[in-house]
Amino acid sequence: MTSEQRIAPIALPDNRAQRVLTALLEGSGVTLNGEAPWDPQIYHPDFCSRILRQGSLGLGESFMDGWWECEQIDEMACRLLQHGLGERARPPADRIMYRLQAGLLNLQSKARAYIVGEAHYDLGNDLFERMLDPTMCYSCGYWKDARTLHDAQLAKLELACQKLELRPGMRVLDIGCGWGSFAEYAARHYDVSVTGITISREQAELARKRCAGLPVEIELEDYRELTGCFDRIVSIGMFEHVGHRNYAIYFQTVEQLLAEGGLFLLHTIGSNSSEISVDPWIDRYIFPNGVLPSARHIAEASEGLLLMEDWHNFGPDYDRTLMAWRDNFDAHWHEIADRYSQRIERMFRYYLSVCAGAFRARDLQLWQVVFSRGRKARYDAPR
């Protein structure tokens, strides 16, 4: 809904749902039908009751349905999270059901590994090409000295290569290679050979085209199927799909594949809590079966297998990255609008905005962790 199309918000019905929701928002700086750019404007009389009944799932779905609009969803999300409404926005029944399901089932089993690829990454390369920068990096950029999204993504790739201490002729494994951004960069600038794996057919197809002529192999494969020996291993933005029941096998696989004296760089979004939980809207519409690891999860799963050399947190950079993606998405949506529904457009705008708000509130983190296997020398990580 553009500013020219916006209509006046409705007068909220004076009922119990409205009073309860208003009380929950008190002190957050967010007001229903308020005048601030982060205040949601409500267009459906059942909005309040839906939010109280469905929590964050209802908030996201009602936005997709056009029940409300907000100029700065990112700031709204940040303020709500800082006010402590994050976990409270998930109905207790949903939290209990997810914990039971995650406890009884391996939601990220080998048989289910390709679900997220089909649901999200295979949505359409044309969409992601317009949202991302020319590197096609779909992970946090490194904004320390960068001014543009492209500069930030190139800086992230260069930082990863430096942390891995790449040398010509090395064999590198990229677990979760996406559209081949790291594989292309490392092969082109560091003269290494790269094997990249992804669970997305669309990603694999485009990655092969982007890496044509370089010593890069792109495979449609699950990490649990890998064999071989590699001097360096990197995993950028994939560990979020591994799941807590598979952390041990993931690190065991890395340890088995990594050569003596080798380095492994893990780049992942991180949770402040070790409690196994998931946002129901993100789980249903964006990253099915995704689970964010905590620092404890990573430390415990890697203990006895790999030596942790460095832990780098630049979570606030994801806020800037997501906002840059949203700006690209908004600027280029008209080029592909005839291929996608308005519901998809609102889904992506909401997803990018609320995630930016979560990083701004420091509710989520972004970690780069470097591990070694049998390394004797001192390790000094670049920044």
Side-chain angles (χ1 to χ4, degrees), residues 139-363:
S139 55
C140 183
Y142 191 51
W143 291 84
K144 181 181 178 183
D145 299 311
R147 293 188 177 182
T148 67
L149 174 64
H150 189 51
D151 288 344
Q153 295 294 14
L154 289 174
K156 183 264 299 297
L157 294 173
E158 178 62 24
L159 181 67
C161 290
Q162 290 186 20
K163 287 182 176 181
L164 286 168
E165 299 179 351
L166 296 185
R167 300 290 182 269
M170 282 185 170
R171 299 154 299 170
V172 181
L173 172 63
D174 185 354
I175 302 177
C177 65
W179 291 277
S181 55
F182 177 87
E184 179 189 12
Y185 187 92
R188 191 179 301 281
H189 296 281
Y190 282 85
D191 194 22
V192 297
S193 61
V194 185
T195 297
I197 65 166
T198 175
I199 43 77
S200 164
R201 295 183 185 279
E202 291 287 319
Q203 286 186 335
E205 181 181 348
L206 184 56
R208 291 180 185 126
K209 293 178 182 177
R210 289 167 51 84
C211 296
L214 294 171
V216 174
E217 293 184 1
I218 304 295
E219 303 292 343
L220 190 67
E221 193 171 10
D222 181 75
Y223 69 93
R224 286 159 286 201
E225 300 168 346
L226 287 167
T227 59
C229 182
F230 300 89
D231 302 299
R232 300 290 188 264
I233 300 178
V234 63
S235 184
I236 299 177
M238 175 271 178
F239 195 67
E240 300 89 336
H241 302 304
V242 169
H244 67 288
R245 295 189 59 164
N246 304 303
Y247 292 156
I249 189 65
Y250 178 91
F251 277 98
Q252 289 167 16
T253 301
V254 170
E255 191 269 342
Q256 292 166 7
L257 296 170
L258 188 61
E260 186 76 8
L263 294 173
F264 166 50
L265 183 143
L266 178 66
H267 173 119
T268 182
I269 298 172
S271 171
N272 294 337
S273 169
S274 294
E275 180 181 350
I276 303 301
S277 64
V278 66
D279 179 87
W281 187 86
I282 293 291
D283 182 60
R284 177 175 294 185
Y285 291 99
I286 307 299
F287 299 120
N289 304 319
V291 178
L292 299 183
S294 70
R296 190 177 105 189
H297 290 145
I298 294 172
E300 289 182 346
S302 62
E303 185 175 327
L305 297 170
L306 300 169
L307 177 63
M308 189 181 298
E309 298 280 5
D310 182 66
W311 196 297
H312 186 186
N313 185 353
F314 51 97
D317 285 13
Y318 226 144
D319 177 9
R320 294 184 66 178
T321 302
L322 284 153
M323 294 302 291
W325 288 343
R326 199 195 69 180
D327 289 344
N328 284 346
F329 182 83
D330 289 344
H332 297 286
W333 174 256
H334 68 278
E335 299 171 12
I336 56 173
D338 61 333
R339 296 171 232 168
Y340 298 91
S341 67
Q342 185 182 37
R343 190 173 174 81
I344 291 291
E345 185 266 339
R346 293 182 68 83
M347 179 183 80
F348 261 81
R349 183 149 55 93
Y350 181 79
Y351 146 58
L352 296 170
S353 299
V354 296
C355 288
F359 281 99
R360 192 176 308 164
R362 300 310 302 273
D363 191 63

Side-chain angles (χ1 to χ4, degrees), residues 53 70 82:
R53 185 174 67 254
C70 181
Q82 289 177 330

Side-chain angles (χ1 to χ4, degrees), residues 53-74:
R53 185 174 67 254
Q54 297 182 316
S56 61
L57 178 63
L59 185 65
E61 286 186 337
S62 62
F63 183 80
M64 292 166 64
D65 292 339
W67 283 27
W68 61 279
E69 188 58 78
C70 181
E71 185 178 339
Q72 294 181 7
I73 300 175
D74 50 297

